[in-house]
Structures are given as structure tokens and as C-alpha cells.
Amino acid sequence: MHLSIVVPCMNEEESIPLLIDRLTKVIQPWGNKAEIILVDDGSTDETWSLIEATSKNVPQLRGLRLSANRGHQIALTAGLEAAKGERIFMLDADLQDPPEILPEMMVMMDQGYDVVYGRRAKRKGESLFKRASAFLFYRILNSLSDVSIPNDTGDFRLVSRRALNAVLDMPEQTRFVRGMFAWVGYKQIGLEYIREARMVGETKYPFKAMLRFATDALTGFSLRPLRFATRLSFLSLFVTLLMAVYVFGSLIMFNTAPGWASMVLAVSFFSGIQLLTLGILGEYIGRLYVETKRRPLYFLSEEVGAKSAPLQKEK
Ligand code: UDP
Ligand code: MG
């Protein structure tokens, strides 16, 4: 198998027909040396029956159905584990990232790159909030994280077999796929493209999911928030010192100490800091807990197309 295309889908019944249509055109040069893997991430609409039906007409199509909704990054991981290609291309079901860019990515990979990631030069049809939060997210992540994760990139990328195997060898439960590829190393390069608006349907990333995703990324790739707690305690020591001077001074000068305001201020300041640092500790401890459970990331409930396909990763 030369090429695998992996697409996670959650409630994408409206996108699927268009998606298949554009992908089958893109893979034409590879004929049956290409496979399209659609991973149904616990959809509650007609996504799976569409995948199943289409797989009868499109021989290169494989469908995996997860037993429940596990989230974008896990669905993507499931598809990556099933992929058999020498080169693996991943994109979202909503066609925000144009699959037609693949030949260009292929050319770059021919030049010796292991990862060619799409870099969003422009994002169309997304809310100001989404664009602003994404902009901030990638910059904060980068300033905090120990690996350099390229700004404004998604999971839209072409990767080599050895880069993929490296990522699949990473045993962590919390999977921030683009960060994992960045961490792996090898030669990587970005290719600019314009991110289109979603063709149909609506975003499957509500604010809560975005927040989860951002925390996973930060805690998975940086210990700095933990050290932040120590820095804050220095700051609070410093403020205490100032307060002490003030209290001492007013004691001598005015000989009275109503002190209510400074008291409230001090208490709220320190309890704020304590809660914040406790929260940060909690995030990491929670992650330790999840990691030690070592649960399987997902279960497959159904599979269609290319029956001989092994479910385990190939080495
Ligand atoms: N997705 C998924 N599981 C989820 C949420 C999303 O598999 O729990 C898929 C979704 O079908 C799409 C991709 O992840 O193919 C990205 O989602 P979306 O386009 O809604 O995110 P956005 O582009 O708005 O950030
Ligand atoms: Mg999208």
C-alpha cells in the first residue's frame, strides 16, 4: 500500500458524500495502491450507514466504527493505527483543508521530508472568537512547550511511515497528535494553504472541547505550568513583604490599624494563588491517574471494506 488517507468523522452525514467524491479524485493516480480510512467516532446520525453503503462502490474505502465517541484525537489515532500505507495523509471530514494539495505535499516528501504539515495562511468562515483563540493558543503553547510545535497548523498533514511508527510507539493516553509529530523530529516542513469554511454541517468543537484540547496540549507538552506555581509563590512572598512594610509603617505613623481593606485584599490574593496552583497540580495529577490506568484508547465495534486489513499496527 502506498498511500493511506485517514479521516475522523463525528456526525458528518452531510460531509461524507462530498468528501468521498473529492478524495476518490485525489487518489486516482494511486489506483488500488491507496486506501481511504474513515473512522466513525460514535456518530449518532447516518454517518456509519453512509460509510457502509459507499464502501460497496468504492473499493479503496475502509470504515472503522468506534464503540463510542472518543474525541477527534483518539478517532484519528484509531485510523492511523489501521493505516497500511507508506505515506499517510490526514484531514478533517468537513473539507476545510483541501485534499487537492496532496500532490504538492508528495513532491515535498520526495525531497526527503518525513512530515509535510499544512499551515493555515488564512482561515475562512470561522468566527472571530475561533480565530482569535486559535491564534493565542498556538502562541501560548509554543512559548510554554518544550518542543516547537509549528504555529497555525492542524492535523492536516502528510507523514512518512517511519514518522507515523514513531508516533504510534508513544504510549500516552492523552493524544495531542500534531504535538506528537512535532516531538518525533526528522525533517519537517510546512506548506501554506487557505483554510476554507466548513462545507456543510457545523463545528464538532464546542468551547468545552476546545478548552479540553488546549489543556491536553499544554499539560502533555510542557511542565512549565507546574513551575509557574513556584514563580507565583515568589510573587506572593514579594507582595507580602510590601504589605508588611505598609502595615508596619502605618502602625508607627498613624498608630491606628483599621486594616480591613488590606486584610481582604491579602486574603483574596493568596487564596486566589492557592486555588490556581492547586488547580495546576490537579491537572497534572489527573493526567498521571489517567495514564496509570492504561486503558485501551478505543474499541472497534464494526469494520467495513478491505476485510483482510489487520487491526494492529504493522512494523
Ligand atoms: N471529530 C471527531 N470526534 C469528535 C469531534 C470531531 O471525530 O468528538 C472530527 C470531525 O468530524 C471533523 C474533525 O474531527 O472531521 C474536526 O472537527 P471540526 O471540523 O468540527 O472542528 P473545527 O474545524 O471546527 O475545529
Ligand atoms: Mg472543521
Side-chain angles (χ1 to χ4, degrees):
M1 190 66 64
H2 292 167
L3 171 68
S4 300
I5 300 187
V6 176
V7 190
C9 312
M10 199 265 277
N11 293 347
E12 299 282 4
E13 58 182 7
E14 294 158 294
S15 314
I16 303 273
L18 204 61
L19 174 74
I20 305 272
D21 191 47
R22 279 175 65 181
L23 286 183
T24 41
K25 285 195 187 104
V26 166
I27 61 169
Q28 233 153 32
W30 287 274
N32 58 10
K33 291 263 186 278
E35 59 178 358
I36 301 172
I37 303 177
L38 300 190
V39 183
D40 175 10
D41 185 18
S43 298
T44 49
D45 64 359
E46 292 304 306
T47 299
W48 180 252
S49 43
L50 266 172
I51 294 176
E52 215 172 13
T54 325
S55 73
K56 300 204 169 78
N57 309 325
V58 182
Q60 296 105 324
L61 183 66
R62 290 171 63 195
L64 306 179
R65 188 180 198 184
L66 304 194
S67 63
N69 179 258
R70 290 276 186 267
H72 176 200
Q73 300 289 303
I74 302 290
L76 180 59
T77 303
L80 292 177
E81 287 191 345
K84 292 185 289 175
E86 274 312 303
R87 292 180 177 189
I88 303 89
F89 183 50
M90 52 202 102
L91 73 158
D92 290 349
D94 59 3
L95 294 164
Q96 280 191 282
D97 313 308
E100 291 77 17
I101 206 177
L102 178 64
E104 227 178 306
M105 287 185 163
M106 283 284 180
V107 170
M108 290 170 111
M109 192 162 273
D110 289 339
Q111 292 162 359
Y113 290 98
D114 280 273
V115 175
V116 183
Y117 52 85
R119 190 195 282 275
R120 303 155 179 173
K122 224 185 223 167
R123 304 172 72 116
K124 286 193 193 164
E126 287 180 315
S127 66
L128 182 66
F129 174 72
K130 178 102 185 179
R131 278 179 289 141
S133 58
F135 182 87
L136 267 181
F137 166 65
Y138 286 109
R139 272 135 197 102
I140 293 175
L141 177 60
N142 243 317
S143 67
L144 290 180
S145 126
D146 316 314
V147 281
S148 130
I149 299 163
N151 283 338
D152 308 320
T153 62
D155 293 313
F156 181 46
R157 58 189 60 219
L158 178 69
V159 302
S160 69
R161 170 50 58 184
R162 67 171 180 172
L164 175 61
N165 280 347
V167 163
L168 295 182
D169 272 344
M170 293 161 76
E172 55 239 61
Q173 303 269 306
T174 314
R175 303 191 80 84
F176 179 57
V177 175
R178 62 200 73 164
M180 296 167 86
F181 274 108
W183 185 82
V184 157
Y186 298 122
K187 276 177 81 183
Q188 309 208 357
I189 193 169
L191 179 62
E192 291 216 329
Y193 72 101
I194 292 176
R195 185 156 220 240
E196 299 294 335
R198 215 173 210 284
M199 291 287 164
V200 280
E202 37 190 65
T203 177
K204 308 297 182 289
Y205 262 98
F207 182 65
K208 228 172 90 192
M210 277 164 62
L211 213 58
R212 179 97 302 232
F213 179 76
T215 338
D216 282 352
L218 280 175
T219 52
F221 284 85
S222 174
L223 290 178
R224 252 174 254 183
L226 276 176
R227 295 180 195 128
F228 180 62
T230 325
R231 298 236 178 100
L232 271 182
S233 63
F234 282 130
L235 176 70
S236 79
L237 270 181
F238 179 67
V239 173
T240 319
L241 208 73
L242 289 185
M243 298 276 263
V245 171
Y246 168 74
V247 169
F248 194 62
S250 54
L251 212 73
I252 295 172
M253 310 259 287
F254 313 115
N255 205 16
T256 67
W260 180 79
S262 53
M263 194 73 162
V264 170
L265 214 80
V267 169
S268 55
F269 180 72
F270 291 113
S271 49
I273 286 190
Q274 281 166 5
L275 284 179
L276 180 66
T277 47
L278 272 180
I280 294 174
L281 282 178
E283 261 325 307
Y284 282 92
I285 293 172
R287 251 140 259 266
L288 278 177
Y289 171 64
V290 170
E291 292 294 335
T292 47
K293 279 196 288 190
R294 306 237 58 90
R295 287 196 182 152
L297 292 174
Y298 59 87
F299 299 105
L300 294 183
S301 66
E302 272 172 89
E303 208 188 347
V304 290
K307 276 280 179 290
S308 59
L311 295 182
Q312 264 75 44
K313 65 181 160 173
E314 278 182 318
K315 275 288 159 75

